[in-house]
Amino acid sequence: MTVYEAELVVDGRESAADGVLALTLRHPLGEALPTWEPGAHIDVLLGPGLERQYSLCGDPADRQSWRIGVLREPEGRGGSAYVHEELRQGDKVRVRGPRNNFALAPAPRYRFVAGGIGITPILPMVAAAEAAGAEWTLLYGGRTRDSIAFTEELGPYGDRVTIAPQDETGLLDLASVLDDVPEGTLVYCCGPGPLLDAVEERCPRGVLHVERFQPKEQENGPDSEFEVVLERTGKTVTVPVGVSVLDTVRAAGVEVLYSCTEGTCGTCETEVLEGTPDHRDSVLSDEEREAGETMLICVSRCRGQRLVLDL
């Protein structure tokens, strides 16, 4: 599958909140950008070792521009610092995508929960739910009122949106929106890991959809060596203990799209033709894990001695 990749121009750069920049990206020749749906993200290639994923938070109907929100993370790995300190209006930046692991499924009712910069994929979801005539509410928290981004855009929705700064109201009152969820309601949540964990504990299976910015903590068994057959390439490789499938495949000269290498972005998702994956990602749903039809080869391994992949 061909993946769109292009150098875009930073056409807009404005503060969306304390520590949050909103960037508008356009094609330098005015070409239309690929279509996308709420929940999609793009890879932003900032430089060697600085490839980051950011959710699209603008209007999917706008084919001329993409908007992303970037939180300045003082303890981060350098990507957000580069965007905030180096990337200026008129600069060019290479992007790839869009890709969607957090798509909005049709439903008559939604409960949206966002924490901090986790509002970015939720913004177009709220607009889509509103346009579809669905019932919905949004519970949106942040450290302080000044750090909560895009509140002006949410203002017209009135009391369907609850803004909850932690320094004023404490932790999000999840019970108020999740303890009595009517049948047919879907819950979408994005934000810090502890928030997602808390929401997962309250939601029955099949109701909740989440997107994680950091890998989910999980207990994995010990690594063991196994064999991977690359069906299309005609190669067979051995994946050693402590080495990922991705690194092993690339060392064998097979090019594979990848980005985060942490199991959170979904770029390296690969079809499994035979064998049982040992899923260690933070993207696939429980149902997708049980089906075992795909795996994220940057982190997941094999429950057995052999996998056959569509590579």
Side-chain angles (χ1 to χ4, degrees):
M1 184 179 73
T2 302
V3 177
Y4 179 81
E5 185 171 328
E7 198 169 51
L8 303 185
V9 175
V10 178
D11 190 55
R13 185 181 190 276
E14 60 182 354
S15 174
D18 184 18
V20 179
L21 273 180
L23 299 183
T24 301
L25 307 174
R26 296 182 185 272
H27 194 281
L29 300 180
E31 295 179 8
L33 300 174
T35 58
W36 61 279
E37 295 182 349
H41 69 266
I42 56 174
D43 301 329
V44 181
L45 287 62
L46 299 168
L50 286 179
E51 184 172 323
R52 300 292 184 264
Q53 292 74 46
Y54 297 109
S55 297
L56 292 170
C57 59
D59 181 1
D62 180 3
R63 296 290 305 279
Q64 297 302 309
S65 69
W66 283 344
R67 185 179 68 168
I68 59 175
V70 182
L71 171 67
R72 177 70 163 93
E73 299 184 79
E75 305 302 321
R77 296 175 295 160
S80 67
Y82 181 90
V83 171
H84 278 250
E85 298 170 12
E86 304 294 336
L87 203 57
R88 300 301 178 198
Q89 188 154 337
D91 288 350
K92 292 183 178 180
V93 62
R94 197 151 196 87
V95 304
R96 184 171 59 220
R99 186 176 292 104
N100 201 338
N101 304 309
F102 192 42
L104 184 68
R109 288 173 296 278
Y110 299 97
R111 300 282 174 87
F112 297 110
V113 181
I117 198 62
I119 191 61
T120 49
I122 301 294
L123 278 176
M125 290 186 178
V126 164
E130 178 74 1
E135 298 177 20
W136 63 270
T137 63
L138 166 62
L139 177 61
Y140 176 22
R143 296 184 312 277
T144 66
R145 191 170 294 276
D146 288 343
S147 72
I148 298 179
F150 304 110
T151 53
E152 289 186 4
E153 294 181 28
L154 296 169
Y157 296 124
D159 60 6
R160 282 175 293 176
V161 177
T162 300
I163 304 293
Q166 186 174 345
D167 64 341
E168 298 177 20
T169 63
L171 296 176
L172 288 179
D173 182 10
L174 298 179
S176 66
V177 294
L178 299 180
D179 280 3
D180 185 23
V181 177
E183 185 176 350
T185 303
L186 294 181
V187 178
Y188 280 78
C189 179
C190 187
L195 171 62
L196 301 185
D197 293 341
V199 171
E200 284 183 338
E201 290 179 3
R202 289 182 174 272
C203 287
R205 182 171 176 169
V207 169
L208 177 63
H209 299 258
V210 303
E211 183 169 60
R212 291 180 178 269
F213 297 138
Q214 300 294 330
K216 180 180 180 180
E217 290 188 11
Q218 49 192 317
E219 295 183 5
N220 299 312
D223 286 1
S224 59
E225 184 177 282
F226 58 96
E227 184 180 81
V228 173
V229 178
L230 310 179
E231 182 73 10
R232 284 190 281 122
T233 310
K235 294 183 177 183
T236 298
V237 297
T238 298
V239 181
V241 172
V243 180
S244 70
V245 176
L246 173 65
D247 287 344
T248 303
V249 168
R250 295 184 67 238
V254 178
E255 286 302 315
V256 182
L257 279 178
Y258 69 97
S259 184
C260 73
T261 69
E262 295 182 323
T264 59
C265 75
T267 305
C268 68
E269 186 174 356
T270 301
E271 184 178 356
V272 178
L273 303 177
E274 293 181 30
T276 304
D278 177 10
H279 295 292
R280 302 184 180 188
D281 66 276
S282 303
V283 172
L284 299 180
S285 66
D286 291 339
E287 292 79 8
E288 290 170 326
R289 288 180 173 223
E290 288 180 6
E293 296 175 351
T294 66
M295 65 183 290
L296 271 64
I297 61 174
C298 66
V299 291
S300 296
R301 300 185 69 80
C302 178
R303 293 187 183 276
Q305 300 299 315
R306 183 173 180 269
L307 287 173
V308 180
L309 302 180
D310 185 25
L311 290 173

